[in-house]
Amino acid sequence: MVKNITHVHKPDYLMVVADVDALNRAVVDEIKTAAEAAIGEHGRFTIALSGGNTPRAVYALLAENKDSFPWAKTFFFFGDERSVPPDHPDSNYRMVNEALFSRVPVPATNIFRVPAELGAAKAAERYEMVLREFFQLQPGKLQPGELQSGQFPRFDLILLGMGDEGHTASLFPGSPAMAETSRLVVSNWVEKLKTDRITFTFPVINNAGEAMFVVAGAGKAEIVKEVFTTEGEKYPVQHVHPQHGRLLWIVDQAAASLL
Ligand code: 6PG
């Protein structure tokens, strides 16, 4: 069901679904559709996953497509990671490995984990090199006036969540990475959490073929209303608008209840 709402934040597509089960099904359907389109167009599907709690059930449902999803042509990345080892309870990689990777025949070489055990700064540098190599980008920082074209990876799909203060990936309000315009991946101090995170930057997110927000629960209703009814880019999620791609929001009724 797509609600008719007058909103400021103009996604290409806002789908409001009844509950979390419907949300999980809708997101998995969108991932499968995007995979089919990408593989049809250029022979592979590159997806950056979101962490947190909401997408865990999405990944578990996707794993049920064990025998039908094009795992060998799908390449998994992470839009952000916590500064912890891969076996730590807070690790996004650990969550996705438990919910998805450990249950499907995806080749290990198709999974690009953030080496967060190196510490945030080193991990960000290393991950940026991985992206530059995988997407065959030109090396290093742009010289002033150099063309931006071809400098950023183009993920077919980037999955994103939203925190209750409007952060996405690990781009939190007021954090240094909010202003980053040339790096692909950075270490970002998050004052609220008193920790460094590793995160994609907005230029990477906004170069995606498709950015999809997945938001559920009554706890997000206030921030969803704020994001969709306030002008400007006060909230990090409002900085997400792929220049040459689609912006989708899939939201359950509880989170959309104030729209
Ligand atoms: C993370 C995520 C983060 C998440 C939001 C929403 O590493 O935690 O990338 O951006 O999407 O915090 O999290 P929930 O879906 O758990 O509310």
Side-chain angles (χ1 to χ4, degrees):
M1 167 186 76
V2 179
K3 266 180 106 166
N4 255 336
I5 58 163
T6 52
H7 53 259
V8 171
H9 182 54
K10 299 236 181 298
D12 297 306
Y13 193 55
L14 167 63
M15 182 193 289
V16 178
V17 292
D19 53 30
V20 171
D21 287 343
L23 176 124
N24 295 335
R25 286 195 302 274
V27 176
V28 168
D29 285 350
E30 186 58 33
I31 292 172
K32 289 160 73 173
T33 302
E36 188 179 347
I39 291 166
E41 273 169 35
H42 45 261
R44 72 182 188 187
F45 176 47
T46 54
I47 179 172
L49 302 177
S50 171
N53 300 314
T54 305
R56 182 191 298 266
V58 169
Y59 303 143
L61 185 62
L62 181 60
E64 292 180 16
N65 294 271
K66 178 179 176 189
D67 301 320
S68 58
F69 191 82
W71 305 109
K73 293 183 177 178
T74 298
F75 298 85
F76 291 94
F77 297 79
F78 289 80
D80 74 323
E81 186 55 278
R82 288 79 180 281
S83 300
V84 294
D87 58 354
H88 190 283
D90 290 349
S91 165
N92 287 336
Y93 169 79
R94 172 173 156 171
M95 180 270 285
V96 181
N97 189 45
E98 287 172 355
L100 178 60
F101 297 150
S102 60
R103 301 169 59 202
V104 297
V106 57
T109 49
N110 286 30
I111 299 169
F112 296 86
R113 178 180 71 79
V114 179
E117 65 277 11
L118 300 177
K122 191 84 193 122
E125 278 175 32
R126 184 72 59 84
Y127 208 52
E128 172 150 340
M129 285 161 52
V130 167
L131 296 189
R132 288 189 179 282
E133 190 178 325
F134 182 88
F135 287 94
Q136 297 177 335
L137 301 179
Q138 295 149 27
K141 205 169 162 64
L142 284 177
Q143 298 308 316
E146 261 190 47
L147 280 178
Q148 289 287 347
S149 65
Q151 288 297 318
F152 298 104
R154 184 169 172 77
F155 284 90
D156 295 307
L157 175 60
I158 297 184
L159 278 187
L160 296 166
M162 177 173 65
D164 57 12
E165 83 297 82
H167 84 260
T168 190
S170 285
L171 297 159
F172 284 73
S175 66
M178 287 296 296
E180 181 58 49
T181 57
S182 56
R183 290 283 306 276
L184 311 184
V185 186
V186 293
S187 164
N188 193 31
W189 174 255
V190 182
E191 184 59 29
K192 175 181 178 183
L193 305 174
K194 297 280 188 263
T195 184
D196 280 313
R197 289 273 192 97
I198 300 117
T199 186
F200 278 6
T201 57
F202 283 118
V204 172
I205 295 171
N206 284 326
N207 202 42
E210 187 173 328
M212 173 160 66
F213 281 99
V214 181
V215 183
K220 300 288 174 70
E222 188 52 47
I223 187 64
V224 167
K225 176 174 80 68
E226 275 291 295
V227 163
F228 278 83
T229 59
T230 49
E231 296 275 353
E233 298 188 327
K234 175 183 175 187
Y235 302 102
V237 297
Q238 292 176 310
H239 292 242
V240 175
H241 28 75
Q243 287 102 322
H244 312 290
R246 289 201 325 152
L247 173 60
L248 291 78
W249 285 71
I250 300 184
V251 183
D252 75 349
Q253 182 52 47
S257 57
L258 299 179
L259 285 185

